[in-house]
Amino acid sequence: MSQRSVFFLSDRTGITAETLGHSLLTQFDGIEWKKHHISFLNSTNKAQTVVESINTAAVQEGQRPLVFSTLLDPAILSVVRQADCHFFDFFETYLGALEAILQQPSARVPGRSHGLRQEVSYFRRIAAIQYALNSDDGVNAKALADADVILVGVSRSGKTPVCVYLALQYGVMAANYPFTPEDMCAARLPPPLQSLRNKLFGLTLSAERLHAIREERYPGSRYASLPECQRELEWQNQLYQQFNIPFIDTSGISIEEISASILDHTDLERRLYGAS
Amino acid sequence: MSQRSVFFLSDRTGITAETLGHSLLTQFDGIEWKKHHISFLNSTNKAQTVVESINTAAVQEGQRPLVFSTLLDPAILSVVRQADCHFFDFFETYLGALEAILQQPSARVPGRSHGLRQEVSYFRRIAAIQYALNSDDGVNAKALADADVILVGVSRSGKTPVCVYLALQYGVMAANYPFTPEDMCAARLPPPLQSLRNKLFGLTLSAERLHAIREERYPGSRYASLPECQRELEWQNQLYQQFNIPFIDTSGISIEEISASILDHTDLERRLYGAS
């Protein structure tokens, strides 16, 4: 497998350059990327050092590195553009076209996309994260009533990471309710959820995957055994059907995909903090 | 303020289209964007519905909406390209150039960037999130020893959201240690931290901001009073100096910026799950 350097350059966090850059690179197989993340590139001195790193990589690898940039400062840009590289300017490509369409100049001020712009949304986001942490066990009925959405599912079905992601990325108050052995003795909605049906969203997964995840933590236990996983999932999936609870099979999909699906299935507002 | 529709179209989560799209839009002032997020756009039928929405917005607003797309499916692309809009294709713009440079065709398979590609990294990420949740109080000495980084600071200095973000986005095991009133009686490193000096990273903020944050929660308390905030921060900042603990002033910067700075100051590996 060939190795090749790629540089992500940004005035600030580098999140935008990384997100698009990685998305593009995943479309090319068979190349081992040596990734260099240069955030807070805010002086021509630092830029000169980066140029030297790029040129060194070009010599060592015998080919020009890729450079993905969201730099906005013209002085810094003019330094790094002198490097021996293939330069992709993710902002310049579009800002000119957008200026023409919108008939106004762009501000070209760094740090607007991942900076702290609104105090209110900051407090809301922090509150959502704290909420996800505090209501992780799902036992607090008062907390459940405050939720925007309540994720339900058997133990280790992946509710917690999704709640945390929904809070952090979207400011959604996401609670989580794990079905207990007691719940599974009856074919009814667990009592704390009965008045909150319209907030429920179910997670499910294959018995094999649940078994593998539980085995990681409690190897050889009855709890982790395949028959027990099958039994719990059967009860759970029947509940989803009986009470018409929307659900998603999470086997083989990522936290990002599960979260995007939940937003897609509900009418929750998307406030993408990572990108606004 | 004029209102204008913008559509984010994606085969999968829409994270890449939103991230770059929002970064670009933040560079234009005075426009109120009406945002339409269309994720999992995976059939020509759905595409036809989107075309109708775009055309309706064009008529209602008297101007063509912006469309930011990371769609890869040629059949779906050809449907949506018929809409009355300004179309920005974030992938097509670069994939052709990259194919020429890398001398190989791109895979053009959706869902690679935010999908679940590696089982090992999935478990690592889940473990990091669980770790951040479990070690949120910082009292467990065993857990502190396992940390990649330990964020320290006075109560409400913003350690928890940063720990959760580092875990979720980068798979970093980030612990958090809040300085206690007892700690602040002496000019020494708190005992649980003494053997872990090289893992410490400090957060600080202005006394005014800390006061405002604490007032949100415990209005009128001594804990939230400005003099108390000043006293605690003075003790803390002196500690950072005395023990040469790297630190960052978080006043007015976002969770993303704080996290990127911490990664920048330490040699922690960046594994951007949101984008790889």
Side-chain angles (χ1 to χ4, degrees):
Chain A
M1 205 185 255
S2 68
Q3 206 197 39
R4 189 159 190 159
S5 277
V6 54
F7 289 77
F8 301 92
L9 310 186
S10 164
D11 306 274
R12 304 290 294 187
T13 64
I15 293 171
T16 305
E18 285 179 304
T19 303
L20 180 57
H22 287 189
S23 288
L24 292 169
L25 296 184
T26 57
Q27 296 296 325
F28 293 91
D29 298 314
I31 304 171
E32 191 191 327
W33 296 102
K34 192 174 172 186
K35 292 171 181 167
H36 309 258
H37 300 279
I38 321 286
S39 307
F40 304 102
L41 180 50
N42 49 16
S43 77
T44 52
N45 272 353
K46 285 189 194 173
Q48 198 52 55
T49 309
V50 170
V51 169
E52 284 156 27
S53 304
I54 296 172
N55 291 348
T56 303
V59 172
Q60 281 174 352
E61 294 164 18
Q63 53 193 357
R64 295 156 79 192
L66 302 185
V67 176
F68 295 132
S69 162
T70 55
L71 292 167
L72 279 165
D73 186 307
I76 292 169
L77 263 170
S78 78
V79 173
V80 296
R81 277 184 165 283
Q82 291 162 18
D84 188 23
C85 65
H86 296 286
F87 197 87
F88 291 82
D89 188 327
F90 288 157
F91 279 176
E92 202 50 49
T93 309
Y94 302 108
L95 282 180
L98 283 169
E99 287 174 346
I101 292 166
L102 303 173
Q103 298 179 307
Q104 69 177 78
S106 58
R108 297 187 191 234
V109 175
R112 286 199 171 188
S113 51
H114 301 101
L116 188 67
R117 300 199 74 198
Q118 288 168 311
E119 197 73 352
V120 175
S121 85
Y122 173 80
F123 281 122
R124 188 187 175 105
R125 185 184 191 188
I126 299 293
I129 295 168
Q130 206 59 59
Y131 178 82
L133 266 54
N134 293 346
S135 59
D136 189 35
D137 50 8
V139 288
N140 185 332
K142 163 86 182 64
L144 285 178
D146 290 340
D148 292 324
V149 63
I150 302 168
L151 300 194
V152 297
V154 299
S155 160
R156 307 299 289 171
S157 56
K159 301 174 298 298
T160 298
V162 176
C163 283
V164 172
Y165 189 86
L166 285 169
L168 192 54
Q169 291 299 90
Y170 300 104
V172 167
M173 309 281 260
N176 116 35
Y177 182 92
F179 294 126
T180 64
E182 199 184 337
D183 292 335
M184 288 184 248
C185 294
R188 58 165 195 192
L189 220 45
L193 303 179
Q194 286 175 1
S195 65
L196 304 165
R197 252 176 81 171
N198 59 341
K199 292 186 179 189
L200 305 183
F201 197 99
L203 300 188
T204 192
L205 68 174
S206 71
E208 290 68 26
R209 187 164 168 80
L210 182 61
H211 168 58
I213 292 170
R214 289 182 172 184
E215 276 287 324
E216 277 272 312
R217 232 176 166 187
Y218 301 102
S221 65
R222 182 175 161 281
Y223 162 81
S225 72
L226 189 59
E228 175 63 16
C229 293
Q230 283 165 332
R231 193 185 68 79
E232 293 185 17
L233 289 171
E234 200 170 308
W235 175 86
Q236 168 199 274
N237 295 341
Q238 193 141 5
L239 195 82
Y240 292 166
Q241 280 203 344
Q242 189 182 342
F243 294 96
N244 214 7
I245 299 167
F247 67 95
I248 181 171
D249 186 331
T250 66
S251 314
I253 69 173
S254 70
I255 297 170
E256 282 77 7
E257 289 174 314
I258 299 164
S259 303
S261 277
I262 291 169
L263 292 177
D264 212 41
H265 276 84
T266 58
D267 55 357
L268 293 171
E269 193 192 336
R270 284 174 84 104
R271 320 172 198 89
L272 189 60
Y273 289 97
S276 62
Chain B
M1 205 184 258
S2 68
Q3 205 196 42
R4 187 158 192 160
S5 276
V6 54
F7 288 77
F8 302 92
L9 310 186
S10 165
D11 307 275
R12 303 291 291 187
T13 64
I15 292 172
T16 304
E18 285 178 305
T19 302
L20 180 57
H22 287 189
S23 288
L24 292 168
L25 296 183
T26 58
Q27 296 296 326
F28 293 90
D29 298 316
I31 304 171
E32 191 190 327
W33 295 102
K34 191 172 173 189
K35 292 170 182 168
H36 308 258
H37 300 279
I38 320 286
S39 308
F40 303 102
L41 180 48
N42 49 16
S43 77
T44 51
N45 273 352
K46 285 190 193 170
Q48 197 53 54
T49 309
V50 171
V51 169
E52 284 156 27
S53 304
I54 296 171
N55 291 347
T56 303
V59 171
Q60 282 174 352
E61 293 164 19
Q63 52 193 354
R64 294 155 80 191
L66 302 186
V67 176
F68 296 132
S69 160
T70 54
L71 292 167
L72 278 165
D73 186 307
I76 292 169
L77 263 170
S78 78
V79 173
V80 297
R81 277 186 164 282
Q82 292 163 16
D84 189 23
C85 66
H86 297 285
F87 197 86
F88 291 81
D89 188 325
F90 289 157
F91 279 175
E92 202 49 48
T93 308
Y94 302 108
L95 282 181
L98 283 169
E99 287 174 346
I101 291 166
L102 302 173
Q103 298 179 307
Q104 68 178 81
S106 59
R108 298 186 189 234
V109 175
R112 285 200 172 188
S113 51
H114 301 100
L116 188 66
R117 299 198 77 197
Q118 288 168 311
E119 196 72 353
V120 174
S121 85
Y122 173 79
F123 281 122
R124 189 188 173 105
R125 185 182 191 189
I126 300 294
I129 295 167
Q130 208 58 59
Y131 178 83
L133 268 55
N134 293 346
S135 58
D136 189 34
D137 50 10
V139 287
N140 186 333
K142 163 83 182 66
L144 286 179
D146 289 340
D148 292 325
V149 63
I150 302 169
L151 299 194
V152 297
V154 300
S155 161
R156 305 301 289 170
S157 56
K159 300 175 297 299
T160 298
V162 176
C163 283
V164 171
Y165 189 84
L166 285 170
L168 193 52
Q169 291 299 90
Y170 299 104
V172 167
M173 308 281 262
N176 114 36
Y177 182 92
F179 295 125
T180 64
E182 199 185 336
D183 292 335
M184 289 184 248
C185 294
R188 59 163 193 193
L189 219 47
L193 304 179
Q194 287 175 359
S195 64
L196 303 165
R197 255 175 80 172
N198 60 341
K199 291 186 178 188
L200 305 183
F201 197 99
L203 300 187
T204 192
L205 69 176
S206 72
E208 289 69 25
R209 186 161 170 82
L210 182 61
H211 168 58
I213 292 171
R214 289 182 172 184
E215 276 288 324
E216 277 271 312
R217 233 177 165 188
Y218 301 103
S221 65
R222 181 176 163 280
Y223 161 80
S225 73
L226 188 58
E228 175 63 15
C229 293
Q230 282 165 333
R231 193 186 68 78
E232 293 186 17
L233 288 171
E234 201 171 306
W235 176 86
Q236 169 198 273
N237 295 342
Q238 192 140 4
L239 195 81
Y240 291 167
Q241 280 201 344
Q242 189 181 342
F243 293 96
N244 213 9
I245 298 167
F247 67 94
I248 182 171
D249 186 331
T250 65
S251 312
I253 68 173
S254 69
I255 297 170
E256 282 77 7
E257 289 174 313
I258 300 165
S259 303
S261 277
I262 292 169
L263 292 178
D264 212 39
H265 277 82
T266 57
D267 56 357
L268 292 172
E269 193 192 338
R270 285 174 84 106
R271 320 173 198 88
L272 189 61
Y273 289 98
S276 61

